[in-house]
Amino acid sequence: MPPQRTCAAITRPRLLSGLAPDAPRGRASARPGGPGQDGPAPDARDTRVIDARTDEILYGPALRRAVQRAALRLARLPRGLLMLAAPATAEVIVTYLAALRAGRPVAPVDPRLVRSRAGDLVTRFAPAALLGAPGAPPPGYRADGRAWVRTDPGAPVHPDLAVVLLDGPGGMRLSRRAVQAEGEAVARALRIRSGEAALTSPPLFTGAGLALLNAHLAAGAAVVAAEGSVAGAEFWAAAERWACGSFAASPRVFALLHRLGWAPVRHRSLRTLTMVGGAPPEGFASLLYGVAATPPGQARPGSVGPALPGGRLSVVRGEVVYEGDTVGMGPARSARDLARGDDLRGVLRTGERGRLDADGFLHLARDHHYVLDAGA
């Protein structure tokens, strides 16, 4: 077993309200080979970020210092949006948290997109910096290590803007309030507990992946940053080594895993499978990003679940509408959108067709067919 070094931590559940100075009350429960040692049960002050590549555990006062140091570095960059190539690494998670702490809006981006279209991204959004950028920078930017830094301020941004998502049609701008509310709502809906360990899946540059990251941090759980493919042996070796209890993925990924012969019963610690973006099979939990969720063991045939806690679902002329604090500010198509205020005002017209049953569970009009079950 490789040696571990304590590097960093979230010390209380409020993601955006600063990091408390208190030391953790219990020992980290996500450790190679199984559950934690003696001592009080961990709480949100024990949140851990674990690097699956190096087996470093990031928790305690040292993460507070690491996040603060990263926040100071980010604060020295020109004003504007920070774009972040976002593979599933502990460094990316710390940088994301540092951006929130520094009050810098951040856009996690698919690293493949950064490698292939970095120039298009900076032209479209005029960010203050592109962190994790490849090669020589375009005009108007200078190289600073693995970053392109703008030589003058980036495009103006609204003071409430915290996160920009680019993984869906038109993108989405999220306020600090929405980021916090969604992390807490998803943690409640999926019954994420302090001391659990989860893999970074879906990817951190997706809305669902970021929501699940925020939820685990808010709940005081451990996040295992595993960069490899979910179809790779290294990914699942990390799950075993850190006794991960939950795994979330899209229907497409679960179908791929099934074709490859993957079965959850082969992983002793795996207790919760979460279907992201579709109605789950029996035994699964589910998450429809920003709208609905089903706790483990409460799936209904064909349903993606009830509204997130604190939210409200309705169907207007066949279209699913969601209202709540987790709703974003509006689309993010270009630099011009970054300075806009809250266009949606807590009401999201999803574009999905569906219906609500008598208990408020949402059934989408899409067809679903799954061959995997939680006990396979």
Side-chain angles (χ1 to χ4, degrees):
M1 182 189 307
Q4 294 103 40
R5 289 177 288 162
T6 300
C7 301
I10 309 301
T11 52
R12 70 180 186 182
R14 300 291 297 175
L15 296 175
L16 307 180
S17 60
L19 302 178
D22 308 272
R25 293 192 298 187
R27 296 179 63 179
S29 68
R31 303 185 68 85
Q37 311 297 321
D38 52 350
D43 65 7
R45 292 182 294 170
D46 297 316
T47 301
R48 288 131 289 142
V49 178
I50 298 167
D51 190 322
R53 182 175 57 84
T54 64
D55 282 333
E56 287 184 335
I57 310 172
L58 301 94
Y59 82 102
L63 171 61
R64 185 176 67 253
R65 294 191 296 269
V67 170
Q68 289 170 341
R69 287 194 298 268
L72 288 173
R73 290 194 297 270
L74 298 181
R76 291 194 289 266
L77 294 172
R79 296 188 303 275
L81 176 70
L82 303 177
M83 303 196 86
L84 172 64
T89 66
E91 180 184 7
V92 164
I93 294 172
V94 169
T95 303
Y96 165 72
L97 292 170
L100 296 181
R101 179 175 178 87
R104 300 297 305 264
V106 59
V109 183
D110 185 340
R112 296 169 299 182
L113 187 61
V114 171
R115 288 193 295 268
S116 63
R117 298 183 59 188
D120 292 343
L121 287 171
V122 298
T123 298
R124 180 178 166 194
F125 290 100
L130 175 56
L131 309 178
Y141 288 81
R142 59 179 176 83
D144 184 356
R146 294 182 297 131
W148 293 350
V149 178
R150 195 171 176 89
T151 54
D152 56 11
V157 297
H158 193 276
D160 292 340
L161 183 63
V163 172
V164 175
L165 296 171
L166 301 177
D167 65 310
M172 180 59 73
R173 294 170 285 121
L174 300 179
S175 68
R176 296 170 67 82
R177 178 185 182 187
V179 172
Q180 181 69 49
E182 182 163 52
E184 294 173 351
V186 172
R188 287 177 57 197
L190 297 183
R191 299 178 181 171
I192 298 170
R193 297 173 299 174
S194 173
E196 291 184 358
L199 295 154
T200 46
S201 175
L204 298 176
F205 52 82
T206 66
L210 207 60
L212 285 164
L213 170 67
N214 292 336
H216 283 84
L217 295 176
V223 177
V224 179
E227 191 174 0
S229 165
V230 298
E234 290 184 2
F235 186 90
W236 292 106
E240 288 293 306
R241 192 163 66 252
W242 291 101
C244 292
S246 63
F247 171 66
S250 67
R252 179 182 60 82
V253 169
F254 277 117
L256 169 64
L257 290 172
H258 179 75
R259 290 197 299 270
L260 295 175
W262 176 84
V265 294
R266 296 175 186 167
H267 304 281
R268 295 171 300 165
S269 62
L270 201 58
R271 297 183 303 276
T272 302
L273 300 177
T274 301
M275 184 73 74
V276 174
E282 184 178 356
F284 278 56
S286 70
L287 175 65
L288 183 63
Y289 167 66
V291 174
T294 307
Q298 295 190 15
R300 294 190 179 187
S303 173
V304 294
L308 288 173
R312 176 178 177 271
L313 281 167
S314 60
V315 177
V316 180
R317 292 187 290 277
E319 182 184 17
V320 177
V321 177
Y322 177 83
E323 301 174 57
D325 289 344
T326 63
V327 173
M329 300 168 70
R333 300 184 181 92
S334 70
R336 290 189 298 273
D337 291 327
L338 302 180
R340 295 182 64 87
D342 186 357
D343 295 324
L344 299 183
R345 299 185 178 278
V347 180
L348 177 65
R349 303 186 68 88
T350 66
E352 293 273 10
R353 312 298 290 180
R355 63 177 178 84
L356 294 172
D357 65 22
D359 296 318
F361 278 64
L362 176 61
H363 299 254
L364 298 178
R366 313 179 204 156
D367 291 328
H368 299 283
H369 175 65
Y370 305 122
V371 293
L372 181 68
D373 66 68

